[in-house]
Amino acid sequence: MKDFLPYGRQSLDETDIERVVECLRGDWLTGGPYVGEFEEKIATTVAAPHALTVSNGTAALHLCLLALDLQPEDEVIVPAISFLASANCVRYVGAKVVFADVDPNTGLLDLKKLPECLSEKTRAVVPVHLNGAPVNLKQLKSLLPPATVVIEDAAHALGARFEEKPIGSCQYSQAAIFSFHPVKHITTAEGGAISTQDSELCQRLMKLRSHGMTRDESEFEEPSPGPWYYEMQELGFNYRLSDIQAALGLGQIQKLRQFIERRQALASLYDQRLQVHPWVRPITRVNPPSTSAWHLYPILLDYTAAPLSRKELMLELRKEGIGTQVHYLPIPDQPYYRKLGYSTQSLPGTQSYYAQALSLPLFPAMQDADVDRVCAALFRLLPQSR
Ligand SMILES: *Cc1c(COP(=O)(O)O)cnc(C)c1O
């Protein structure tokens, strides 16, 4: 059998490995210079004045939600199609999730339906740039009362642009979060980051990622009894990224442009090949000058009419060494959320997108021939005749 093509995977090279080894040979495994250097590089990349790293993307979301100081009755709007963490962060701080419907053609928060989700209790919205395609942040912001906070879940969108600016520049949001899990654009194994324009928020998030404590004398609430003193001012966590991980991240982020360009080229090739496919429908494209970071390449297909079910298609593709995945199961249908009374009953866009989406292999090390192989299999398994 040919090599198995997963739907996504990391791209590491020798310079990444050397940098990690260099870190291991040095003085700092954590709390050292690589972390700060990586953070500066992230900030420059996303064109934000501040960025901090954390142990993973979920921790990044948790800290952003903590910093909102929500009450149990406060509501946060989250799209029903996303990875679990986008909603779970709201539950971590004990607030109420309000699931918003998504556009059936993109899987992105459906802005036409957003007003129905707003109430007097709405404190924040967590738009998700699903698949790497940016949500229209300007339009989103215009639909919200001025005090409503926007936290971008940009786990799929490092390297994407909304209009002229990189996602993460936070022109229309309080903060944006990123993930460096191996399937994402760049990896630190586990890892994440938050970018923001708000320096006070950044200070607070830095404290929260390290137990809520500070060693900075200028921040002390009590007089310092001596040089050993540190002060815990609120309840925080240990959500720090290690220097070993930051060393890897530094090598990775230098290749981001190159990774994104390769993803874009592969996506265009899929587009070209699949344009004439009798069953496959591509997701709606991003309007220029915005660009997608192409985290995933999903196809949409009406399986109720097609000769194969999605399950059959996925299993047949797997037999041929082609990995696919459905991104994502609607969050409100998870047993945990069902028990809280949620469902997708009144979310037709979510139901439709979930029923039709399937992510094909997409990662920078893929060859053009791999795209041809996937497309050939799709033409063979779903022949012309209806
Ligand atoms: C990956 C991901 C996260 C969480 O990131 P981790 O680093 O795995 O914790 C959050 N939101 C979305 C949309 C993701 O894809």
Side-chain angles (χ1 to χ4, degrees):
M1 197 177 87
K2 292 181 202 132
D3 291 343
F4 187 78
L5 256 189
Y7 81 82
R9 65 158 290 148
Q10 71 274 18
S11 301
L12 300 191
D13 63 18
E14 284 306 312
T15 62
D16 293 319
I17 294 164
E18 275 163 29
R19 212 183 281 262
V20 172
V21 170
E22 201 180 299
C23 176
L24 287 168
R25 292 212 166 98
D27 295 330
W28 303 91
L29 297 185
T30 192
Y34 283 107
V35 170
E37 215 183 309
F38 184 37
E39 287 172 341
E40 273 176 33
K41 194 79 194 157
I42 295 165
T44 328
T45 303
V46 303
H50 311 282
L52 69 153
T53 54
V54 286
S55 46
N56 55 64
T58 306
L61 283 165
H62 186 186
L63 293 188
C64 288
L65 269 287
L66 266 179
L68 295 179
D69 300 309
L70 299 180
Q71 300 301 310
E73 66 279 7
D74 287 340
E75 297 177 355
V76 178
I77 299 172
V78 177
I81 296 278
S82 184
F83 183 58
L84 304 168
S86 310
N88 289 353
C89 60
V90 180
R91 298 299 304 143
Y92 295 159
V93 299
K96 190 176 166 207
V97 183
V98 173
F99 287 107
D101 205 8
V102 304
D103 181 326
N105 300 312
T106 61
L108 299 180
L109 198 63
D110 189 340
L111 295 179
K112 290 190 300 297
K113 295 187 187 164
L114 189 77
E116 300 163 24
C117 303
L118 292 169
S119 83
E120 272 159 33
K121 306 269 190 223
T122 308
R123 290 286 316 277
V125 182
V126 181
V128 178
H129 305 303
L130 194 77
N131 305 318
V135 170
N136 189 330
L137 295 165
K138 195 198 275 176
Q139 200 187 337
L140 169 66
K141 196 75 188 152
S142 75
L143 293 168
L144 301 174
T148 307
V149 172
V150 175
I151 308 284
E152 295 171 68
D153 182 337
H156 293 190
L158 182 64
R161 282 176 172 267
F162 174 63
E163 297 188 338
E164 309 298 342
K165 296 224 168 159
I167 287 292
S169 62
C170 300
Q171 198 185 358
Y172 300 101
S173 67
Q174 187 180 65
I177 74 93
F178 298 93
S179 164
F180 308 133
H181 182 274
V183 299
K184 307 285 163 68
H185 295 86
I186 65 166
T187 190
T188 60
E190 296 284 354
I194 305 167
S195 65
T196 181
Q197 294 197 355
D198 182 340
S199 63
E200 257 172 58
L201 175 67
C202 185
Q203 288 298 319
R204 175 137 185 241
L205 292 169
M206 279 182 171
K207 232 182 276 178
L208 285 169
R209 87 171 157 186
S210 212
H211 311 284
M213 69 174 242
T214 179
R215 291 179 191 278
D216 181 348
E217 211 166 328
S218 68
E219 291 181 2
F220 290 163
E221 292 174 13
E222 305 287 333
S224 165
W228 62 85
Y229 188 66
Y230 51 85
E231 199 167 75
M232 179 186 141
Q233 299 168 334
E234 61 178 322
L235 188 62
F237 296 82
N238 177 354
Y239 277 167
R240 296 184 302 263
L241 192 75
S242 71
D243 273 63
I244 306 174
Q245 292 166 302
L248 179 55
L250 266 171
Q252 288 272 296
I253 203 164
Q254 285 175 15
K255 293 182 281 268
L256 177 67
R257 252 312 104 212
Q258 181 188 322
F259 288 162
I260 298 287
E261 279 166 19
R262 185 64 193 143
R263 284 174 179 276
Q264 286 167 342
L266 290 163
S268 303
L269 193 58
Y270 268 127
D271 283 355
Q272 252 176 47
R273 297 280 183 276
L274 296 175
Q275 207 179 356
V276 291
H277 194 284
W279 296 99
V280 169
R281 196 159 59 88
I283 54 163
T284 306
R285 292 293 169 262
V286 168
N287 284 331
S290 299
T291 58
S292 174
W294 286 109
H295 166 54
L296 297 168
Y297 188 91
I299 52 167
L300 299 174
L301 212 150
D302 180 5
Y303 294 93
T304 57
L308 278 185
S309 70
R310 181 166 54 180
K311 181 178 167 187
E312 287 163 337
L313 178 62
M314 197 169 173
L315 291 173
E316 286 301 321
L317 288 170
R318 188 179 295 169
K319 270 194 219 156
E320 304 199 16
I322 297 167
T324 57
Q325 184 54 287
V326 176
H327 295 97
Y328 291 95
L329 287 127
I331 306 174
D333 280 341
Q334 292 289 343
Y336 169 81
Y337 284 100
R338 281 261 176 90
K339 283 174 214 151
L340 293 176
Y342 294 99
S343 81
T344 47
Q345 242 164 25
S346 54
L347 305 173
T350 298
Q351 288 178 14
S352 167
Y353 188 82
Y354 169 59
Q356 299 205 359
L358 189 67
S359 302
L360 304 181
L362 183 67
F363 53 92
M366 264 174 76
Q367 304 295 308
D368 290 2
D370 294 324
V371 172
D372 290 339
R373 184 177 139 205
V374 176
C375 295
L378 287 172
F379 277 99
R380 196 162 359 93
L381 293 166
L382 293 157
Q384 313 290 329
S385 59
R386 290 206 172 216

